[in-house]
Amino acid sequence: MAKAIRMHRTGGPEVLEYVDVEVGEPGPGEARVRNHAIGLNFIDVYFRTGLYPLPLPSGLGQEGAGVVEAVGEGVTHVAPGDRVVYAGRPNGAYSEVRTMPADILVRLPDGIDFETAAAMMLQGLTVQYLFRQTYALQPGQTILFHAAAGGVGLIACQWARALGVNLIGTAGSNEKAELALAHGAAHVINYNTEDIVARVREITDGAMVPVVYDSVGKDTFFRSLDCLQPRGLMVSFGNSSGAVPPFSLGELASRNSLYVTRPSLAAYAASRPQLEAMAADLFDMVGSGKIKIGINQRFPLAQAADAHIALEARRTTGSTILLP
């Protein structure tokens, strides 16, 4: 038996139950992993509330780091005793021990500890595909990145600085703005006191930006479009304020032929070689010191509901982890 978080219905943080669960032996293509640290991400909220449907009852959580205890038939890329990290479906990371598909497990370099690994994998791989693949950034470019003081945002600030890219971030307070600036943002707009579009126009001398990365969704979508250059790319990769409402494609034409994409980690890391290449890039950035992972909140696994409350209330900065 092991402790884990389970949910039997969707709703608020109160639906998260801390219970005993049976952990079976790994079957073909599976591994049993004992988690040492678990990542908290806004996608967990989407599953908990039902915005992203999932079969119930269900576990929750898509990111963790720990040690392989056993592997099933056909698993050769990891072995018992290996230190590993993972990010992605299926849900179930909120647990002391879990049996899971082995194909999303990546061996963890010796220089990266479990807590750092659990705090960085999903968010770091997200920045990797956003900056390296969705839109391949070049030195000297100026971009707009929303929620710059969040877990993904602080990694993005540092990665942009390492690439020689001028990142304009947005944040909801002066304290969060200072945090993003300290991590490498070139400018930060306080969206509660400043006009995002007007400030981007001012910062860029009217040129606007070639790409906007927007994880906020409903509250910022159209303002993001207004910050783009002709034929610019709107990258919508989250919905922390709610889903983007349906809109006419004419909105893109009227703003000078814009592009919109809605990427996901699963699509970019769909094969083992893709996942390993992305992870190697992330490990290199962290191992070299170009990116430092700030774990600013830690909660016991049993208090996962409290962690969700803090996350949704925007009381967190940087990364948050759960400890079994």
Side-chain angles (χ1 to χ4, degrees):
M1 301 292 287
K3 290 291 187 181
I5 296 292
R6 290 289 184 268
M7 47 185 287
H8 292 79
R9 58 189 174 89
T10 57
E14 71 279 358
V15 304
L16 302 180
E17 303 176 35
Y18 187 60
V19 298
D20 292 312
V21 297
E22 292 278 359
V23 181
E25 292 298 316
E30 293 184 332
R32 189 174 71 240
V33 176
R34 180 168 295 276
N35 286 323
H36 286 236
I38 300 153
L40 177 74
N41 297 280
F42 221 98
I43 194 172
D44 303 344
V45 175
Y46 302 156
F47 282 111
R48 193 205 72 219
T49 61
L51 178 64
Y52 291 177
L54 78 172
L56 295 173
S58 175
L60 198 64
Q62 298 203 336
E63 177 180 42
V67 175
V68 175
E69 291 189 336
V71 298
E73 181 183 352
V75 176
T76 59
H77 64 283
V78 294
D82 282 350
R83 302 169 69 252
V84 293
V85 62
Y86 60 88
R89 299 187 188 186
N91 281 291
Y94 289 14
S95 59
E96 293 177 332
V97 185
R98 65 181 299 204
T99 297
M100 59 184 295
D103 60 357
I104 65 171
L105 295 174
V106 179
R107 284 190 189 140
L108 189 58
D110 291 339
I112 300 177
D113 61 73
F114 290 123
E115 291 193 5
T116 299
M120 78 180 196
M121 195 63 173
L122 186 59
Q123 296 167 349
L125 290 179
T126 297
V127 177
Q128 198 282 339
Y129 78 70
L130 290 176
F131 283 6
R132 301 287 207 189
Q133 302 181 69
T134 304
Y135 186 98
L137 294 176
Q138 301 299 320
Q141 288 181 313
T142 299
I143 66 172
L144 178 63
F145 201 102
H146 288 292
V152 176
L154 292 183
I155 294 173
C157 290
Q158 296 174 81
W159 208 313
R161 178 172 57 187
L163 294 174
V165 170
N166 301 309
L167 183 145
I168 304 172
T170 68
S173 69
N174 291 335
E175 292 77 16
K176 288 188 174 183
E178 290 298 326
L179 185 62
L181 288 168
H183 282 74
H187 307 271
V188 180
I189 301 166
N190 184 335
Y191 57 74
N192 284 318
T193 61
E194 299 179 280
D195 183 302
I196 293 174
V197 180
R199 284 287 290 129
V200 169
R201 183 175 293 111
E202 178 185 357
I203 291 166
T204 63
D205 293 326
M208 311 310 277
V209 297
V211 60
V212 176
Y213 298 99
D214 190 335
S215 63
V216 177
K218 177 174 64 69
D219 288 353
T220 53
F221 184 80
F222 289 102
R223 284 181 288 175
S224 293
L225 295 182
D226 289 335
C227 290
L228 285 165
Q229 299 170 355
R231 294 186 293 171
L233 176 62
M234 167 64 179
V235 183
S236 176
F237 69 101
N239 321 278
S240 62
S241 69
V244 175
F247 66 96
S248 168
L249 290 178
E251 297 282 356
L252 306 180
S254 67
R255 292 171 171 84
N256 293 306
S257 300
L258 302 181
Y259 295 86
V260 175
T261 185
R262 181 62 172 87
S264 69
L265 175 59
Y268 282 89
S271 70
R272 186 77 203 170
Q274 289 171 317
L275 172 61
E276 289 183 342
M278 292 169 65
D281 193 11
L282 174 61
F283 293 158
D284 179 66
M285 294 296 287
V286 174
S288 67
K290 294 177 182 177
I291 292 177
K292 298 185 185 301
I293 305 301
I295 303 172
N296 296 338
Q297 298 82 210
R298 291 173 172 83
F299 291 84
L301 177 59
Q303 295 176 16
D306 293 333
H308 275 233
I309 291 170
L311 181 65
E312 290 183 276
R314 303 183 187 277
R315 295 202 304 266
T316 64
T317 59
S319 296
T320 303
I321 60 171
L322 305 175
L323 298 174

